[in-house]
Amino acid sequence: MLFLFILLFSLLAQFFLPWWSIAVICFAMAFWKAHRGGQAFFSGFTAIAVTWLGAALFWHMVTDGILSTRVAAMFSLNSPWLLLAVTVLLGGIVGGLSALSGFLVRRAWRSVFGLFSGK
């Protein structure tokens, strides 16, 4: 369920907000819904990785690979597919770490203040 929330809200946010808004969404959703740290990281990582993979593949196909080839050349990468892999990995790490941070902040908040004690 956490995966779907992060996926849907981040997909909507990417149309209107800057790229880093995914971190805020992952943090907030994991703060609200995560039950374990591993679940939070995995949900954030996979949801953002899938979202960014879809966007990267969309632009790769729409531009016939020209855009990703030129951007890969700017970064001295040999292949546009390597650029796509780095993009997905980077987005996934940002999503996973921010979701894990949201879970850990809620856990610390709960232990310090005794709030949000219900599951």
Side-chain angles (χ1 to χ4, degrees):
M1 191 57 115
L2 178 61
F3 169 80
L4 288 175
F5 281 136
I6 293 173
L7 183 75
L8 292 175
F9 285 119
S10 67
L11 186 61
L12 289 174
Q14 290 294 290
F15 285 114
F16 307 108
L17 300 173
W19 74 267
W20 50 264
S21 63
I22 61 165
V24 176
I25 290 168
C26 289
F27 183 93
M29 293 293 110
F31 185 89
W32 176 47
K33 275 298 224 188
H35 298 295
R36 295 180 317 281
Q39 175 214 15
F41 181 84
F42 185 72
S43 295
F45 184 93
T46 55
I48 300 304
V50 166
T51 302
W52 281 25
L53 177 64
L57 285 175
F58 172 78
W59 287 112
H60 181 77
M61 298 300 170
V62 165
T63 64
D64 250 353
I66 295 171
L67 178 65
S68 47
T69 302
R70 289 184 180 175
V71 173
M74 283 177 20
F75 286 114
S76 300
L77 297 174
N78 295 334
S79 169
W81 298 107
L82 184 59
L83 175 71
L84 290 163
V86 169
T87 300
V88 169
L89 185 65
L90 183 63
I93 289 171
V94 169
L97 289 178
S98 59
L100 179 61
S101 297
F103 169 76
L104 292 174
V105 165
R106 183 186 71 191
R107 191 167 80 176
W109 190 281
R110 185 186 301 166
S111 68
V112 170
F113 297 109
L115 298 175
F116 306 113
S117 59
K119 278 195 170 185

